[in-house]
Amino acid sequence: MIVPMRLRPDDVGIGMTGQRARDRLIDDLRGSGIGDERVLNAIRTVPRHRFVDEALASRAYENNALPIGHGQTISQPWVVAKMTEALLNASPKRVLEIGTGSGYQAAILAALGLEVFTVERIGALLRGARKRFRALGLQVRSKHDDGRIGWPEEAPFDAIIVTAAGAALVEALLEQLAPGGVLVAPVGASGGQALLRLRKSEDGTIHSEDLGGVSFVPLLSGIVDR
Ligand code: SAH
């Protein structure tokens, strides 16, 4: 399901942010192994150029990470697609994201009809993301906090996605995962990490799978109020 969004004429128009640029990105993603049509459709529909600064809008449909200020980045579309595919595999309903950033990954999940909860530690980024959710008519619940504590009041979640890299897995997040649930997270040192998918079985044991190498900004502690 792709949830209807409030789109502006320039979100579906021609030019660097239009349909042609998006179709090229979709071809690129397909060519690099993304096969889930629901994910490809969400990426085609959600206007990524509205999640970056206007000066970068013309590059929004390139398959690259882009700066979003405060030393952070909007993830590369391929990484968003890969992580989303890895989550959908568990047929989740309620999803927790750690690291809202621009709000793009959360918007993709919301467009897929999932109930999305997202946590961001940098106040200014969260405010920007909330504005975008509102402007696009997307239902996303968000919280300004250190995501390493998760969102215990709303747990358990069918899926958890961590979009910043920790040196180790966060125990609190695994605890907030429902039996049968899936957690997708980059884990490792700052230079490069392994994208891990962990599945919690009904008896609580964890099975881990390495989905390949990725490079994320670090998962940091505490909150920033600006
Ligand atoms: N999902 C984002 C990617 C943003 S980059 C997007 O689609 O744009 C990672 C984000 O994680 C940054 O915004 C960073 O501030 C945030 N982050 C890092 N450590 C965090 C923590 N402990 N709790 C919450 N957010 C965190």
Side-chain angles (χ1 to χ4, degrees), residues 35-180:
D36 190 319
E37 291 302 326
R38 296 167 297 177
V39 175
L40 293 170
N41 211 12
I43 291 181
R44 192 186 287 111
T45 313
V46 174
R48 190 170 185 259
H49 66 278
R50 303 255 307 255
F51 291 81
V52 296
D53 194 86
E54 245 174 89
L56 293 172
S58 66
R59 296 176 53 199
Y61 298 96
E62 294 171 9
N63 195 5
N64 289 318
L66 291 169
I68 55 172
H70 305 266
Q72 308 303 319
T73 55
I74 181 174
S75 305
Q76 182 193 8
W78 181 82
V79 169
V80 172
K82 185 83 182 160
M83 293 180 93
T84 307
E85 268 192 349
L87 280 193
L88 286 187
N89 194 274
S91 307
K93 290 195 181 69
R94 289 161 59 84
V95 180
L96 173 67
E97 179 194 33
I98 307 305
T100 317
S102 68
Y104 180 70
Q105 172 74 71
I108 293 287
L109 296 170
L112 284 160
L114 305 178
E115 194 181 346
V116 184
F117 299 79
T118 184
V119 185
E120 170 59 51
R121 67 181 285 276
I122 301 179
L125 289 178
L126 187 58
R127 284 193 292 279
R130 282 176 173 159
K131 259 190 220 155
R132 296 179 182 114
F133 299 146
R134 221 173 302 129
L136 292 168
L138 292 169
Q139 296 291 331
V140 174
R141 297 209 22 217
S142 61
K143 178 170 82 135
H144 183 208
D145 211 339
D146 181 341
R148 295 179 317 156
I149 62 171
W151 199 327
E153 301 82 3
E154 295 292 346
F157 299 95
D158 306 313
I160 301 180
I161 176 169
V162 186
T163 65
L169 279 165
V170 179
E171 199 58 43
L173 296 179
L174 278 173
E175 277 164 20
Q176 290 171 34
L177 199 59

Side-chain angles (χ1 to χ4, degrees), residues 5-23 44-47 49-50 61:
M5 280 178 286
R6 277 186 231 117
L7 301 177
R8 294 179 186 148
D10 64 321
D11 290 338
V12 286
I14 50 168
M16 299 299 275
T17 62
Q19 211 50 60
R20 250 260 209 98
R22 293 179 197 205
D23 288 344
R44 192 186 287 111
T45 313
V46 174
H49 66 278
R50 303 255 307 255
Y61 298 96

